[in-house]
Amino acid sequence: MAMDPLDAAMKACGADAFVHYAAGEDADMRYLTRFVMHDAFVFYKKRRLPGTIIVPQMEAERAGRESCAAVITRTQAGLPGIVKKEKDPWKATAQMIAGQTGKTLLVSPTLPAALLRALEEECRVVVDNGTTEKMRAIKTPDEIRLIRTVQKKTEKAMGLGISLIGNATTKKGILYHDGAPLTAEIVRSAMHKQLMDEGCRAVETIISCGEDSAFPHIIGSGPLVPHEPIVIDMFPKDEATGYYADMTRTVSKGKPDPQIAEMYEAVKEAQKIGIKTIRAGVSGADTHNAVVDYFKSRGFESDTRGFIHNLGHGVGLQVHEMPTVGPSGGPLEAGFVVTVEPGLYYPGLGGIRLEDMGAVTAKKFDDFTKFEETLVL
Amino acid sequence: MAMDPLDAAMKACGADAFVHYAAGEDADMRYLTRFVMHDAFVFYKKRRLPGTIIVPQMEAERAGRESCAAVITRTQAGLPGIVKKEKDPWKATAQMIAGQTGKTLLVSPTLPAALLRALEEECRVVVDNGTTEKMRAIKTPDEIRLIRTVQKKTEKAMGLGISLIGNATTKKGILYHDGAPLTAEIVRSAMHKQLMDEGCRAVETIISCGEDSAFPHIIGSGPLVPHEPIVIDMFPKDEATGYYADMTRTVSKGKPDPQIAEMYEAVKEAQKIGIKTIRAGVSGADTHNAVVDYFKSRGFESDTRGFIHNLGHGVGLQVHEMPTVGPSGGPLEAGFVVTVEPGLYYPGLGGIRLEDMGAVTAKKFDDFTKFEETLVL
């Protein structure tokens, strides 16, 4: 078995232990500990040993049940004695960490600056170059199963949102549902509530209609209208596991402008090309550029208009994480979970985006997303 | 007008500028910028000048509308030229920051360690001692208005949860609603959905029943039962403003054990005593100890059983923030928003907690919480 990447990073700089300090919402912390606590806590791992977390007494029992790390309490780590002499909380925490670990520490790049300075008074400290983030990028079969699960729940919510639009009626140029205007807010709220019932939290789901859809970061508000593109982009998090899904569909209630229909066909084909390009060893840059070239062949630019963002990104305990599937993207590796989300955006006309998520394997892109791609409802 | 605390901190160490780097969910960042962005971004403030944020081009327009800080893009801050020579993203960000600020920087205590190290190659760097956190503790009248608003929405959700319990029927020793067992999950979900309709996000609302209620950090699951204490503790965040509320009530469907009723009366009286003690100048420790003394006079300990946590804490852009209303708490100041939440916990029997939230003023505790305190439904 290959050496644990954290052990390798410690060995390279002669560190006795690796240290992280964050709240459990922090993706690295959740990955290392599988424990979520509102307040920040300490994780450390000595070479060739499993990790340990230091938590308050009140959380110790839950941590023992939920965390994959060993658990000791702050009292067991000597904090009560330390704080009698050291009133600065960062220095006290640093002394507690030093007492449990060693003379040379490798610390997380996101360790708080104040804790780094306090640790420097106790030990030699090397700041790590993102080893945990790199470990997170390659998913185990278990992680892939968890991500598929949240993707399935997301597709179900997408189905609900699209059916609300598909079943709407049109009156005075806007969509109606149950006798009231059908707004972006109503569709978003219905999808979010269904996701909540499935244990998922979605925020800022994009439901942007008409000219708004030409701006990928407008989340959309107000009544939806027929014959215009409606971009639905959602990225819920499964609260129990911490893993995200990410998907986008674009629909139109009734036929849209022929230019929109042409853009849709181009984006759908671009997505197929992106997906076909992906396998371990191909770079994120080459994948992105294959899509740029295709768009160019169809007369669509990739500049301030047209295809204006990266083709994709990693998804896991963060909705945006390594790797990059864009101009700066390096080789894709088996186990990466990435999105493939070409889009075309023309201010004054509208935007189209289609986004699937799946895993990179030795031979192909294993697409988790089964949801159909149909523009006109 | 008094000097801006960040200006004072800069002056004290001879810094040209203060720098923070975090995502917009970070409470300090939201306070300084009133801007929420998924990815991390740079805030800096030169002495005697307003703050500035550096954001990607795609976010500049929204930042201009939403942020209280001035906005420049990464391109305007020279990043494209820097990354041509510097491939390490932390070093590139540090060079961009140094180019906009000066020779000596005061940085946030939570600045990422990797960015601190990179900045140290460019400038003299002093790590700040929590100035922003201290500024956040004292709320302006506008902030108090925002916190009152989310507290009102929280009380409405509490009303819904308690009415579900109050209107339940009893069958075979458990509560029923609409023909099915009434569970902690059902009550939680109903409250969370109502809060969602009000633009608030609640997570991990505690609905713990019977023996579970003796452990303040068990969130509760499964069917609720009659004649047992049910602790409901919720702390929703208003998504639009970022401010939290925090409140707790304890109820019982049908009369509980007389010991529980006695504990309830003691906690209710302890809360009154805590509230009466609070005003600017009184310490958090004295307030806490007044409650400890009262419990002692009634025969309830404050050790591993009985009253086992702090009386309260600050609430604002974080649900737990400065000040401490507990044994280590210093003087309370006018403008602090704090909870007053005495509780009694006896494993094998159950727990009681009552929590209000309000503002410290020169003369009293201005309680935002109007919701009644009645044990038996």
Side-chain angles (χ1 to χ4, degrees), chain B residues 16-161:
Chain B
D16 304 304
F18 169 80
V19 175
H20 189 29
Y21 178 88
E25 282 292 315
D26 177 85
D28 283 352
M29 194 55 121
R30 191 156 190 174
Y31 179 82
L32 293 167
T33 70
R34 303 291 164 188
F35 184 62
V36 177
M37 198 176 95
H38 202 91
D39 299 319
F41 61 100
V42 171
F43 169 87
Y44 68 86
K45 179 192 164 355
K46 295 191 198 182
R47 275 162 79 175
R48 291 178 300 277
L49 289 175
T52 300
I53 59 177
I54 309 177
V55 300
Q57 178 63 43
M58 191 159 72
E59 298 285 10
E61 195 267 342
R62 184 171 70 91
R65 260 185 293 122
E66 296 177 7
S67 181
C68 63
V71 178
I72 63 172
T73 65
R74 291 176 183 168
T75 304
Q76 288 169 329
L79 192 62
I82 293 167
V83 295
K84 277 184 197 151
K85 292 180 199 161
E86 179 53 72
K87 294 302 166 202
D88 181 292
W90 292 114
K91 289 185 182 178
T93 301
Q95 288 171 23
M96 176 182 77
I97 291 168
Q100 299 299 313
T101 52
K103 289 277 168 226
T104 298
L105 301 183
L106 181 70
V107 303
S108 159
T110 57
L111 195 89
L115 184 56
L116 172 62
R117 283 279 173 95
L119 279 171
E120 285 169 343
E121 292 178 23
E122 312 293 328
C123 318
R124 185 171 81 87
V125 186
V126 180
V127 176
D128 181 54
N129 189 21
T131 303
T132 311
E133 198 184 355
K134 283 173 214 146
M135 291 165 73
R136 277 171 35 213
I138 300 197
K139 272 73 180 177
T140 64
D142 270 353
E143 290 181 290
I144 284 178
R145 190 176 45 76
L146 297 177
I147 299 171
R148 276 187 198 276
T149 301
V150 54
Q151 181 73 358
K152 243 181 218 155
K153 295 173 181 176
T154 304
E155 293 190 57
K156 201 173 142 193
M158 181 67 80
L160 172 65

Side-chain angles (χ1 to χ4, degrees), chain A residues 139-153 238 241 243-244 337 357 359 366 368:
Chain A
K139 273 71 181 178
T140 63
D142 270 354
E143 289 180 292
I144 284 178
R145 190 177 46 75
L146 298 177
I147 298 171
R148 274 187 198 276
T149 302
V150 56
Q151 181 73 358
K152 244 183 217 152
K153 295 174 181 176
D238 198 323
T241 68
Y243 286 93
Y244 281 86
V337 168
M357 184 181 70
D366 177 12
F368 301 164

Side-chain angles (χ1 to χ4, degrees), chain A residues 112-131:
Chain A
L115 184 56
L116 172 63
R117 282 281 173 94
L119 279 171
E120 285 169 343
E121 292 178 24
E122 311 294 327
C123 318
R124 184 171 82 87
V125 186
V126 180
V127 177
D128 180 54
N129 189 21
T131 303

Side-chain angles (χ1 to χ4, degrees), chain B residues 71-288:
Chain B
V71 178
I72 63 172
T73 65
R74 291 176 183 168
T75 304
Q76 288 169 329
L79 192 62
I82 293 167
V83 295
K84 277 184 197 151
K85 292 180 199 161
E86 179 53 72
K87 294 302 166 202
D88 181 292
W90 292 114
K91 289 185 182 178
T93 301
Q95 288 171 23
M96 176 182 77
I97 291 168
Q100 299 299 313
T101 52
K103 289 277 168 226
T104 298
L105 301 183
L106 181 70
V107 303
S108 159
T110 57
L111 195 89
L115 184 56
L116 172 62
R117 283 279 173 95
L119 279 171
E120 285 169 343
E121 292 178 23
E122 312 293 328
C123 318
R124 185 171 81 87
V125 186
V126 180
V127 176
D128 181 54
N129 189 21
T131 303
T132 311
E133 198 184 355
K134 283 173 214 146
M135 291 165 73
R136 277 171 35 213
I138 300 197
K139 272 73 180 177
T140 64
D142 270 353
E143 290 181 290
I144 284 178
R145 190 176 45 76
L146 297 177
I147 299 171
R148 276 187 198 276
T149 301
V150 54
Q151 181 73 358
K152 243 181 218 155
K153 295 173 181 176
T154 304
E155 293 190 57
K156 201 173 142 193
M158 181 67 80
L160 172 65
I162 289 178
S163 76
L164 282 171
I165 297 166
N167 294 328
T169 53
T170 297
K171 217 162 50 179
K172 295 181 188 162
I174 63 173
L175 298 185
Y176 272 74
H177 173 76
D178 277 350
L182 183 65
T183 61
E185 290 85 347
I186 289 171
V187 175
R188 183 179 299 125
S189 170
M191 294 195 299
H192 286 193
K193 284 179 183 174
Q194 186 183 288
L195 283 161
M196 189 184 267
D197 284 336
E198 306 257 13
C200 295
R201 173 160 68 86
V203 292
E204 297 184 354
T205 292
I206 293 170
I207 301 169
S208 63
C209 179
E211 294 194 13
D212 278 354
S213 64
F215 303 94
H217 274 66
I218 289 185
I219 80 160
S221 62
L224 302 172
V225 302
H227 309 294
E228 292 283 356
I230 301 172
V231 172
I232 308 178
D233 183 349
M234 55 197 321
F235 37 93
K237 174 183 183 170
D238 198 323
E239 300 267 18
T241 69
Y243 286 93
Y244 281 86
D246 197 357
M247 78 176 289
T248 307
R249 290 294 182 264
T250 303
V251 295
S252 171
K253 174 68 178 175
K255 275 194 175 177
D257 186 294
Q259 287 178 281
I260 290 291
E262 194 195 333
M263 281 159 59
Y264 189 91
E265 289 312 312
V267 169
K268 193 170 169 178
E269 185 60 27
Q271 194 187 37
K272 279 189 196 150
I273 287 164
I275 286 172
K276 227 190 295 178
T277 309
I278 293 177
R279 62 174 189 282
V282 173
S283 76
D286 286 348
T287 309
H288 176 90

